[in-house]
Amino acid sequence: MSAWNSRTEKVDSPTELAEIAARCRAAFARQKSRFVVCAGPACLAMDALGVLEEFRELIARRGLHLDVELLFEGAETQAAVVGSGCHGFCEKGPLVRVEPQGVLYTKVKVADVVEILEAALDHGKIVERLLYHNPDGSTCLTEREVPFYSGQQKIALKRCGLIDPEDIREYIAHGGYLALAKVLRELTPAQVIDTIQRSGLRGRGGAGFPTGDKWAACREVRGEPKYVICNGDEGDPGAFMDRSILEADPHSVIEGMIIAGYAMGAKQGILYVRAEYPLAVARVHKALQQARHWQLLGENIMGCGFNFDLEVFQGAGAFVCGEETALIASLEGKRGWPRPKPPYPSQEGLWGKPTCINNVKTLATVAEIITHGADWFRDIGTSNSPGTAVFALAGQIKNSGLIEVPMGITLREIVYAIGGGVPNNKAFKAIQTGGPSGGCLPEALLDLEVDFGSLRKAGAMMGSGGMIVLDETTCMVDIARYFLEFTVHESCGQCNPCRNGIYQMLHILNAITAGKGQPADLALLEEMGQMIVAGSICGLGKTAPNPVLTALRYFRPEYEAHIHEQACPALKCKELIAYWINPEKCVACGLCRKACPVGAISGERKVAHVINQSICTKCGICLETCPGKFSAISKVTGRQRTELLARELRGFPHNLATDGL
Amino acid sequence: MGTIRFFIDGREITVTEGETILEAASKNGIYIPHVCHHPDLKPAGMCRVCVVEADGLLVPACRAPAAAGMVVKTGGNLVNKMQRLAVELLATNHHDDCLACGKNNACKLQEVAQYVGVDKQRLTRFQAQELRPVDDSNPFISRDYNKCILCGICVRACNEITCIEAIDYAFRGYAAKISTLSDKPLQDSKCTSCGECMVRCPVGALLPKGGVQAAYEVKTVCPYCGCGCGVYLSVREGKIVGVRGDRESKVNEGELCVKGRFGYSFVNHAERLTAPLIKRNGRFEEASWDEALDLVANKFREIQAEYGPESLGGLSSARVTNEDNYLFQKLLRSLGSNSIDHCARL
Ligand SMILES: Cc1cc2nc3c(=O)[nH]c(=O)nc-3n(C[C@H](O)[C@H](O)[C@H](O)COP(=O)(O)O)c2cc1C
Ligand code: SF4
Ligand code: SF4
Ligand code: SF4
Ligand code: SF4
Ligand code: SF4
Ligand code: FES
Ligand code: FES
């Protein structure tokens, strides 16, 4: 670190922080070319690290002055290379952004780095082929132009992918800790709470409880000490919003926690992070160390006499430990079991003391609200859910990744404008929001304006922000079963409706997908679902039936087809389909016969081929093998399946087995 | 604490503030089916059999406090559906073998099923099929996992009453079971075999080994130590076949230790002395009590005459009641001696 740096490691007053921020910004400005390589989880999996190393190496080979961290003094740096957190557009990773122009390169490979460097440093040019290409072939130069980004509005993810998460100065250069400075200098705790209350911020951890009210409750309860806990357990499969923030912008969460502590009179915070997120844990540790070093955390923060410190706790990996009371139990070294509320954590939390638990995204939003004001936040989103929502967009969608959108955006905009629609010319079927215990919404609800209230009314929920797009090949019984399998596995086993109820529901779904459903099953599923929702102790049981209940609400005919016609309309449930060769189309080329791994297909030259259903394992290889111009093989289900196979049996005496019927 | 008034099914009820709906109901003779609740233990609210509608919301009566003016309904469509599902769900995982079960007719599951009215057909497709091994390691208690409905009463009894904490829940979700540390057999855990869990188990999952029904009961005091726990002996064919704690006894309020509860077989032991023995010609011979007491009294007199009253001393036992020990020292003092001691000091 430079001399200037060591002299001013400690921020002695809020005013001093403003000066430092100005110097940080100046240092930024001195970086002539800045290459920001995404080192988020998805990009790393595509060798982003190799790309990052290549940048460093090539720049070093050129003998250029390379910035590995933001320097406050010295000559202009010719090139800076930064590994950032996730940029969101994981589908197109590894991503590289060249600042200050903001040129966005997609799917960058190690071999591309030379070209990018030369274009940027030598010619002032752009590498066209690495730009994002729209479906019509036109290209986008910067993030702003890419439809995936242009429909978004970032608050919690504002700095993710923009800064080097391991350098506090980059955070400060982008306005970091200025909200805390404002709080310490200008606002009383009551005013902070008032601001958060007026902003209408609701918890982003799932339930959407008004954050300001939670803080106020925690402030009012008597009891010392008080605790602020950040819930970074994020156990939903496929969710990585909280992880991204902790990895890409850890200080924003820390700043939010300090402000929360100030507001409710807590001196101790705990950041609960999943142990499966080692990078997030490391980044947070590093950030804490730097913040303490700069006197932004710990004793006498910014010389204002306020003390607050933070500890990191690594969760042991049970989904249910994300539930706040289970989380507290696990912090106390007990079994991670939820307990009935009330008493709420604000009344009786960690070690029986008043405790405020907020989600990572909630806390990452706090500083922005303080900086820009409650009204600014209220103007974004809808009246019942101001602000933005972060979703992990996944499933059968062209642009998967992490997005932040204003509340009130329609599902259609998310799926089509941002997500780019469903790939492979398949039709959209449903969108599952809210993680494994959210709901599946049909096409007819695509114009639903997304917020806490509307999703709940539709039977789904905001949850922690999972959003999975399903195309026409998805069977709605099968998918509900899939989600239920998860919740059955993750139930803590404490209360009867959840432990036994969702297990029994899963069994009924298993029976339905196997063609063994009974006419009374749908009513039974509905009744059980409603009762489990009403009767379970915690949110896991209270929401676990959602996927089934919404599927029954919006896709009932599909369930009925399984039960009454032994048909899987999506041709997914193995026990209800058969692969069938249309004798009128088959030209007896023999390709499928050779391809079938179990030798189920028989036929000779010039004789239409036939699948022996008792041998066929329904692997689908033959279907893929049969040349498109013949398209002789198809999946059949229901009555069609019964009739075709019966006819086949009559016509082909060698195909005697009837097991498959 | 003040009293509050609220309504159960239209009846006005007055209770002390803080009491749960279930407590209030049972004090007023209103039955609300429940399984995982036991009056000796903290409410857990796990089985959800006791749900009632309180001001329009479904709440577990065992846990929800009564509130002033609250309107509680113990029936109605919603409550009935929930109670029925809760009982049916418990039943699907309960190996019902009622006629051969030691808990038959005293089983909570039978009781609530009868009250709620279950439809066995609804969930029979999903009845737990495979039988799990019974833990028979403990000499006194057998634990049948096939009958356990995971109400957690045994765990709470062991934690709250005995403070031994020998058992707890293990595993998650449907795989959850009651287990000792490291899932060892009960005998290899720190369980003291007191049986406090067993007597509270609402079903036949925890039963005394070899237990049989009594023909009649005899109220007495446990002879094992000076605590003086009140007990009822179960007697059948003139033999003790079981012991239960006397809940009315101020000393133990129904609780017992392993000796008091299970250590009764010595009573019928073949080598137990049932008549006094007098040594004659170097051999012990059976005698009548009058004979024996006369002999002792005469010897006392002789010794006192020759050596004075202080020459007598008495040794009492830790295995008799306080009252017996009291009478014993009274006896010796009346004989003029203060030399009284106790076997525990030997
Ligand atoms: C089964 C279950 C899992 C949960 N997992 C998480 C989680 O991973 N992260 C989280 O922030 N909240 C989770 N929650 C919600 C928390 O209980 C709690 O409501 C939340 O952390 C409060 O923060 P907020 O007010 O900022 O939303 C979970 C809830 C349930 C019922
Ligand atoms: S609802 Fe499920 S996860 Fe929650 S306490 Fe009950 S059993 Fe445990
Ligand atoms: S589905 Fe698989 S196993 Fe069946 S016939 Fe085709 S290739 Fe063979
Ligand atoms: S690959 Fe198609 S056309 Fe060729 S034999 Fe098989 S079914 Fe007939
Ligand atoms: S017998 Fe006593 S010590 Fe053993 S588990 Fe039961 S209550 Fe605990
Ligand atoms: S053994 Fe008995 S008391 Fe213990 S959980 Fe099972 S049913 Fe309840
Ligand atoms: S990990 Fe690189 S864009 Fe998400
Ligand atoms: S008795 Fe109330 S929930 Fe079990």
Side-chain angles (χ1 to χ4, degrees):
Chain A
M1 279 192 197
S2 65
W4 188 88
N5 216 357
S6 44
R7 192 157 47 80
T8 53
E9 262 163 10
K10 290 205 185 317
V11 181
D12 292 324
S13 70
T15 344
E16 195 183 347
L17 184 71
E19 286 162 23
I20 295 171
R23 302 198 71 149
C24 290
R25 277 195 296 278
F28 246 109
R30 279 201 306 277
Q31 294 183 333
K32 209 169 133 205
S33 278
R34 179 175 157 93
F35 302 93
V36 184
V37 181
C38 175
C43 292
L44 282 179
M46 305 291 286
D47 200 23
L49 211 56
V51 172
L52 191 63
E53 287 308 317
E54 184 75 357
F55 267 109
R56 290 204 176 121
E57 170 142 4
L58 290 184
I59 291 173
R61 222 183 277 165
R62 280 163 170 255
L64 291 183
H65 185 140
L66 170 73
D67 234 2
V68 279
E69 51 180 56
L70 205 56
L71 289 179
F72 283 122
E73 51 187 32
E76 193 169 78
T77 21
Q78 285 120 324
V81 179
V82 179
S84 75
C86 173
H87 296 202
F89 203 7
C90 308
E91 180 74 33
K92 296 282 182 231
L95 301 178
V96 173
R97 212 177 43 244
V98 185
E99 304 282 10
Q101 299 83 356
V103 180
L104 175 71
Y105 292 124
T106 59
K107 301 210 168 186
V108 177
K109 290 193 248 348
V110 175
D112 299 327
V113 176
V114 184
E115 211 177 332
I116 295 175
L117 267 181
E118 284 175 358
L121 298 177
D122 304 337
H123 316 300
K125 287 216 176 105
I126 309 290
V127 186
E128 282 280 334
R129 71 180 174 86
L130 293 174
L131 293 177
Y132 174 77
H133 286 66
N134 286 311
D136 67 2
S138 60
T139 54
C140 301
L141 192 62
T142 62
E143 278 188 4
R144 296 227 123 276
E145 297 169 20
V146 179
F148 175 81
Y149 287 108
S150 56
Q152 297 191 43
Q153 180 170 9
K154 296 195 174 184
I155 298 176
L157 301 181
K158 186 178 155 189
R159 294 183 206 82
C160 294
L162 200 61
I163 60 166
D164 176 356
E166 303 201 358
D167 191 339
I168 191 171
R169 286 162 298 186
E170 299 216 353
Y171 180 68
I172 293 174
H174 282 88
Y177 288 110
L178 287 175
L180 176 61
K182 178 175 172 184
V183 162
L184 294 178
R185 194 180 52 218
E186 299 171 13
L187 303 177
T188 63
Q191 284 170 320
V192 174
I193 290 177
D194 181 59
T195 306
I196 301 298
Q197 274 175 326
R198 278 188 300 112
S199 77
L201 174 64
R202 297 174 64 173
R204 268 30 177 183
F209 192 82
T211 305
D213 293 354
K214 196 185 266 187
W215 290 14
C218 205
R219 175 165 185 80
E220 276 153 27
V221 175
R222 263 190 273 173
E224 279 288 322
K226 292 179 180 173
Y227 297 102
V228 175
I229 297 178
C230 170
N231 188 342
D233 193 50
E234 196 169 55
D236 303 32
F240 60 107
M241 299 70 79
D242 297 353
R243 169 187 186 168
S244 281
I245 295 175
L246 291 171
E247 285 181 5
D249 191 15
H251 287 287
S252 66
V253 180
I254 296 170
E255 187 176 357
M257 289 182 75
I258 305 171
I259 295 173
Y262 176 81
M264 66 195 81
K267 294 187 180 57
Q268 180 64 48
I270 293 154
L271 233 160
Y272 191 103
V273 192
R274 274 180 76 157
E276 290 90 334
Y277 288 173
L279 185 60
V281 172
R283 290 257 163 88
V284 167
H285 273 299
K286 192 150 191 176
L288 290 178
Q289 201 185 359
Q290 292 180 352
R292 277 192 205 106
H293 220 70
W294 285 59
Q295 206 170 330
L296 296 167
L297 183 70
E299 304 254 302
N300 194 20
I301 294 173
M302 290 192 218
C304 292
F306 175 61
N307 304 335
F308 185 85
D309 213 340
L310 266 174
E311 259 176 64
V312 177
F313 184 93
Q314 295 189 40
F319 172 64
V320 74
C321 285
E323 198 280 338
E324 52 193 13
T325 57
L327 184 148
I328 288 174
S330 82
L331 278 175
E332 292 174 345
K334 299 185 193 137
R335 187 178 165 81
W337 262 19
R339 61 156 176 77
K341 296 179 271 189
Y344 293 93
S346 56
Q347 302 162 306
E348 255 178 61
L350 183 61
W351 311 116
K353 300 296 179 188
T355 301
C356 173
I357 300 196
N358 278 127
N359 172 256
V360 170
K361 297 175 286 282
T362 316
L363 289 161
T365 308
V366 165
E368 291 300 308
I369 295 175
I370 298 290
T371 303
H372 300 290
D375 295 336
W376 163 82
F377 192 75
R378 267 223 100 91
D379 282 346
I380 304 166
T382 64
S383 59
N384 92 50
S385 315
T388 54
V390 180
F391 293 112
L393 201 53
Q396 284 121 4
I397 182 112
K398 281 193 188 132
N399 302 332
S400 63
L402 202 62
I403 61 167
E404 183 168 5
V405 288
M407 297 271 189
I409 191 173
T410 64
L411 287 169
R412 190 180 300 282
E413 283 170 272
I414 295 178
V415 174
Y416 290 99
I418 296 175
V422 179
N424 309 323
N425 294 321
K426 294 278 193 301
F428 171 92
K429 181 161 187 180
I431 183 162
Q432 150 93 6
T433 72
S437 31
C440 295
L441 304 179
E443 174 140 37
L445 287 182
L446 271 181
D447 290 312
L448 186 82
E449 295 179 353
V450 177
D451 68 16
F452 284 107
S454 67
L455 285 179
R456 184 163 296 183
K457 221 161 101 191
M461 60 180 199
M462 193 68 107
S464 57
M467 198 169 253
I468 301 169
V469 178
L470 307 168
D471 72 15
E472 57 187 328
T473 62
T474 314
C475 166
M476 298 314 287
V477 188
D478 185 56
I479 196 80
R481 189 178 65 131
Y482 168 79
F483 289 122
L484 227 50
E485 252 168 21
F486 176 81
T487 35
V488 160
H489 188 254
E490 295 297 332
S491 157
C492 83
Q494 175 177 196
C495 64
N496 177 28
C498 174
R499 179 185 69 241
N500 291 322
I502 55 176
Y503 179 84
Q504 296 295 345
M505 285 179 81
L506 175 63
H507 267 260
I508 298 177
L509 291 182
N510 281 340
I512 296 177
T513 55
K516 298 188 182 111
Q518 292 171 4
D521 280 350
L522 298 190
L524 181 58
L525 279 176
E526 259 163 349
E527 183 181 326
M528 287 179 82
Q530 285 157 6
M531 291 303 117
I532 294 165
V533 169
S536 293
I537 289 183
C538 87
L540 194 152
K542 282 183 185 302
T543 57
N546 279 348
V548 186
L549 293 176
T550 47
L552 281 173
R553 184 160 151 195
Y554 300 119
F555 299 94
R556 200 175 186 100
E558 204 168 328
Y559 279 70
E560 286 165 347
H562 280 75
I563 295 175
H564 302 303
E565 294 156 32
Q566 309 282 299
C568 175
L571 299 169
K572 191 89 187 172
C573 298
K574 272 194 175 181
E575 272 133 308
L576 298 183
I577 60 157
Y579 287 83
W580 174 70
I581 298 176
N582 185 341
E584 273 139 45
K585 287 190 182 173
C586 175
V587 299
C589 70
L591 287 175
C592 60
R593 177 164 38 90
K594 293 187 197 109
C596 176
V598 293
I601 304 179
S602 54
E604 297 154 34
R605 286 189 56 199
K606 297 197 179 155
V607 180
H609 284 39
V610 175
I611 297 172
N612 183 336
Q613 300 296 337
S614 66
I615 299 178
C616 172
T617 59
K618 299 175 188 172
C619 70
I621 289 174
C622 55
L623 183 83
E624 281 160 28
T625 312
C626 181
K629 56 186 176 217
F630 309 136
S631 297
I633 307 185
S634 56
K635 292 195 258 185
V636 290
T637 186
R639 189 178 318 147
Q640 191 196 16
R641 167 178 178 249
T642 323
E643 284 170 5
L644 287 174
L645 298 188
R647 196 191 311 157
E648 200 169 81
L649 270 182
R650 269 180 263 124
F652 295 87
H654 62 275
N655 196 1
L656 281 175
T658 53
D659 306 15
L661 295 180
Chain B
M1 255 189 222
T3 58
I4 51 165
R5 279 188 290 187
F6 76 113
F7 301 90
I8 299 182
D9 298 331
R11 243 174 88 182
E12 187 169 337
I13 307 272
T14 309
V15 286
T16 318
E17 210 178 327
E19 277 188 294
T20 64
I21 297 173
L22 183 62
E23 281 166 339
S26 46
K27 273 187 193 165
N28 286 276
I30 301 170
Y31 179 71
I32 296 176
H34 58 276
V35 172
C36 72
H37 183 68
H38 194 283
D40 298 346
L41 305 168
K42 287 188 198 136
M46 290 172 171
C47 73
R48 302 281 153 160
V49 170
C50 69
V51 286
V52 293
E53 204 180 309
D55 292 340
L57 280 179
L58 280 188
V59 296
C62 68
R63 223 188 141 106
M70 185 185 252
V71 175
V72 173
K73 284 197 263 172
T74 67
N77 191 20
L78 207 55
V79 171
N80 291 345
K81 267 203 230 171
M82 183 69 227
Q83 291 188 339
R84 189 175 113 182
L85 180 69
V87 177
E88 284 173 349
L89 285 174
L90 293 177
T92 52
N93 296 301
H94 181 79
H95 177 61
D96 53 353
D97 178 16
C98 295
L99 286 183
C101 177
K103 204 76 175 184
N104 196 15
N105 279 333
C107 170
K108 274 270 181 200
L109 191 58
Q110 286 176 335
E111 175 191 305
V112 296
Q114 203 168 33
Y115 184 83
V116 166
V118 295
D119 177 354
K120 276 227 67 174
Q121 294 310 309
R122 277 216 306 178
L123 296 178
T124 38
R125 270 188 296 162
F126 317 107
Q127 187 93 35
Q129 290 300 335
E130 74 281 29
L131 286 185
R132 300 199 236 180
V134 175
D135 181 354
D136 256 332
S137 61
N138 185 290
F140 309 111
I141 305 168
S142 85
R143 174 179 277 284
D144 186 348
Y145 284 107
N146 306 297
K147 289 183 182 161
C148 174
I149 51 170
L150 286 171
C151 70
I153 284 179
C154 55
V155 175
R156 278 175 284 145
C158 195
N159 291 356
E160 294 172 26
I161 294 181
T162 72
C163 302
I164 302 282
E165 305 189 337
I167 46 177
D168 205 338
Y169 279 80
F171 307 107
R172 225 174 29 211
Y174 190 72
K177 66 180 257 197
I178 309 293
S179 155
T180 61
L181 185 64
S182 309
D183 206 11
K184 292 208 187 99
L186 196 55
Q187 184 59 6
D188 300 339
S189 74
K190 59 177 181 173
C191 165
T192 64
S193 310
C194 69
E196 288 299 322
C197 54
M198 181 192 81
V199 293
R200 286 176 182 80
C201 177
V203 295
L206 290 174
L207 285 172
K209 280 190 169 171
V212 290
Q213 293 273 285
Y216 60 93
E217 285 191 327
V218 176
K219 182 176 168 154
T220 181
V221 175
C222 173
Y224 266 103
C225 75
C227 285
C229 296
V231 295
Y232 279 96
L233 303 179
S234 303
V235 186
R236 177 165 171 159
E237 296 168 39
K239 292 199 174 113
I240 301 174
V241 292
V243 179
R244 72 177 170 95
D246 178 2
R247 290 181 71 89
E248 312 283 289
S249 162
K250 287 279 174 286
V251 175
N252 57 328
E253 293 179 337
E255 291 165 29
L256 290 176
C257 74
V258 57
K259 294 174 288 180
R261 190 184 315 279
F262 296 114
Y264 52 78
S265 55
F266 74 92
V267 176
N268 297 321
H269 198 280
E271 286 174 22
R272 183 177 156 228
L273 298 183
T274 49
L277 301 180
I278 294 175
K279 208 175 205 172
R280 294 189 181 111
N281 309 321
R283 286 190 53 207
F284 280 117
E285 283 173 12
E286 271 196 15
S288 74
W289 279 109
D290 280 343
E291 235 181 315
L293 289 173
D294 283 347
L295 179 68
V296 173
N298 288 334
K299 293 266 186 199
F300 278 4
R301 235 180 251 125
E302 283 169 23
I303 294 166
Q304 274 185 331
E306 191 167 345
Y307 303 106
E310 281 292 347
S311 57
L312 280 178
L315 278 177
S316 174
S317 169
R319 288 279 313 271
V320 300
T321 64
N322 271 338
E323 291 75 6
D324 287 340
N325 272 324
Y326 176 81
L327 289 174
F328 184 70
Q329 59 85 28
K330 199 87 182 155
L331 171 72
L332 271 150
R333 288 189 214 285
S334 70
L335 293 175
S337 169
N338 289 316
S339 303
I340 305 144
D341 215 329
H342 186 278
C343 70
R345 291 199 344 137
L346 287 179

